[in-house]
Amino acid sequence: MAIVEVRNLVKRYGEVLALDHFNLKIEEGEIFGLLGPNGSGKTTSINCLLQLLTYDKGDILLFGEPMRPNSYDIKRRIGVVPQDVAVFDELSVRENIDYFCGLYVSDGTRRRALVDEAIEFVGLKDYVKFRPHKLSGGLKRRLNIACGIAHKPELIFFDEPTVAVDPQSRNSILEGIQRLNAEGATVVYTSHYMEEVEQICSRIMIMDRGESLACGTKDDLVCMVSTGEKVEIEAPDLPGGTLEALGAQPFVRRISHDGTSIHLLCDNGPHNLANILAVLQERAVVFGRVYSEPPTLNDVFLEITGKELRD
Amino acid sequence: MWNTFKYTTLSIVRERSIVIWVMLFPLILATLFNAMFKGIDENAHDLDPIPVAIVNKSEGGADKAFNTMVDALSEGDEAILAPMDAKTDEEARALLRDNKAIGVVTLDVDGWPSLELSAVTGTTGVSMGQVERTVLADVMDDFCRTREALEDIMRNDPQAAENPEVVLSLVRRDDYTSELKITHSQTREYVRYFYALLGFAAVMAANVSLTAVGAIQPNVSVLGARRAIGGTGRSRMLAGAIAASWLVSFLALVVAFAYIRFALGVEFGGREAACVLGIAVAALMATALGALVGALPYVPYTAKSGILTGITCLLSLFAGLYGTPALRLADQVAREAPWATVVNPVKQVSNLFYSLYVYTDLTPFFRTIGVLTIITAVLALAAALMMRRQSYASL
């Protein structure tokens, strides 16, 4: 069953078209990644989904039901971890989690158990009495997550939860998301960090300028672009005509030399690397290490949009 | 709702700006007021012995009755007169001219006094000694009338003059004068500043609901946005926040009242229970006002806070908070534009306490309660309408 279904969603901020007939379908049990640069419409689409923002046109269905601003039965099945740390500065870690859990669960005994579980889950047991300003950036992010997941939602939106987080905390957050998914939660994860999306998402949508540009598994996305292989060869000194000879190969789409290495983008083909090395040996080019890798999501994004993901 | 009420209360009482401006600031102001105004008012009611120069020109012991009266009035802790003997009229006038004496009493050869008083305005141009002049004139007038009556009785009915009851009846005043209480308490001007201060504190307490309502609105804070997408309805969340705001405002005002009443000793007419009722209504008005300002659309939170502070300061001016000129202005506005006083919540809260202090009847107090309730209802209705219609095209 589609947990999230969005049809032809249009959202304007004045003259700016933030979402342009945006469509989305997320199945139960997925970790679905919304990947796009800042301002691409990821957060706007989530805010519209949650009825936090009005929109101009379109249909939104969550759990198969039309989503309305007062659909509290649906909202109680959803957890949200916003991009900014949104907690009470004046309440302790435990009080904050208890408050947000209380927005969904009124039974005090059950809530106490859920809060304990959430504290354990995010590893804030030693900080339960701390106020947020006493926590490090990473610990604040963990608190932000605990407040969004304590009530054990079936669908969780994570809106760039790792922004400004150290690598250790980032890994901890990503592992936590995978654990939540393993426990049955469907996850919608927005980010402009392609490595994270590649690491945890089962399906990915690439967004830019309020549009869905491509959607599928990582392999699906890579297959959508013509770049099949990236090759990098350490070769500081190149005899004249080498780059031209390499560029003349029919499978080479783009070639460049940065003074120390040759960078080649190639079409899909079984013998690309062997052919490249043969050209270098013919010309007696001295080379060091050789790297070959399939295209990344950034390459996919670059080819689809013509710009880097982090532009 | 309980969840929101509990944690909104906790977060508000831990919010530094609320603690400073809503809880501590009124106490600090009250302490300053106590130092500034209370001393002045008390001094104004302390009557020092009145310096009077006496030129005695009487002969043959005709001054006996006068001297007896002066001795009686210039002895002890509650002495009214401070007599100064002057040998000549010139010497007495010099004392008057130098402001060393308020008046000059000259006894003629028969011992009858005549009184000459100092000018109403002293050399500095400041009005001085008005009460002392009145007292001195009254004392001399009383002496002359009593002596005249006694001499008349002795002339016409010598036997009656020997009857002590007749003589006593001449000096007793309670037969034909009686003390009437036209106010509930002995009125002191300075108390009005403290009542205006409580009005000011009440409107300052509107910051509590401004903060609480702001923390619910998605376009004000990320916290508001997160709460808005939670599983609890907006109306229930709002009810919890409003209830918490009222409680905190009420407690802050009760603390300010208790400090003013019991630590500073300011009188409230002995009607402390009614004062607490008035505070409860004032806190409700403050909560509604803060909610209304908090609900203003398209205005950033900091601007709303500035608007509320501006409103508080302006309304307090017309409630007479800022000293004697402001008090006069407030009185003038009350006379010439009574409607402006009616719609001024600071003035109405101030009136709550004033009516308890001054009037024996409780009708003015309950009338003010009614006015404040209407103001509260209007503010709350406007806030509810604004919040009900709000949806967000952007955050």
Side-chain angles (χ1 to χ4, degrees), chain A residues 11 76 95 98-99 103 144, chain B residues 7 14 226-227 231-232 393:
Chain A
K11 168 70 186 170
R76 272 190 277 275
E95 288 166 343
D98 187 44
Y99 172 72
L103 293 178
N144 203 32
Chain B
Y7 286 114
R14 291 174 185 169
R226 183 173 208 166
R227 294 171 81 183
T232 299

Side-chain angles (χ1 to χ4, degrees), chain A residues 11 13 50 52-54 72 75-76 80 82 84 86-88 90-91 95 98-100 102-104 131 144 147-148, chain B residues 3-4 6-7 10-11 14-15 215 218 222-223 225-234 237 391-395:
Chain A
K11 168 70 186 170
Y13 293 117
L50 298 169
L52 195 54
L53 286 176
T54 56
Y72 294 110
K75 286 183 177 181
R76 272 190 277 275
V80 182
D84 298 306
V87 295
F88 286 93
E90 301 79 20
L91 299 184
E95 288 166 343
D98 187 44
Y99 172 72
F100 284 104
L103 293 178
Y104 304 87
R131 301 255 189 103
N144 203 32
C147 291
Chain B
N3 182 48
T4 301
K6 176 184 165 187
Y7 286 114
L10 270 179
S11 67
R14 291 174 185 169
E15 164 85 41
V222 287
L223 181 61
R226 183 173 208 166
R227 294 171 81 183
I229 53 182
T232 299
R234 182 194 268 190
M237 207 142 38
S391 58
Y392 303 96
S394 63
L395 296 177

Side-chain angles (χ1 to χ4, degrees), chain B residues 292-305:
Chain B
L292 175 63
V293 177
L296 290 174
Y298 314 117
V299 182
Y301 177 77
T302 46
K304 287 177 182 176
S305 184

Side-chain angles (χ1 to χ4, degrees), chain B residues 206-243:
Chain B
N207 277 291
V208 174
S209 55
L210 174 72
T211 305
V213 168
I216 289 177
Q217 290 177 292
N219 61 339
V220 171
S221 63
V222 287
L223 181 61
R226 183 173 208 166
R227 294 171 81 183
I229 53 182
T232 299
R234 182 194 268 190
S235 54
R236 289 175 66 189
M237 207 142 38
L238 193 62
I242 292 288

Side-chain angles (χ1 to χ4, degrees), chain B residues 74 79 136 162 221 248-249 335 348:
Chain B
S74 56
L136 196 54
E162 288 169 11
S221 63
V248 174
S249 304
R335 278 192 303 273
Q348 287 302 323

Side-chain angles (χ1 to χ4, degrees), chain A residues 11-19 56:
Chain A
K11 168 70 186 170
R12 292 175 191 278
Y13 293 117
E15 294 299 308
V16 178
L17 188 59
L19 291 174
D56 300 277

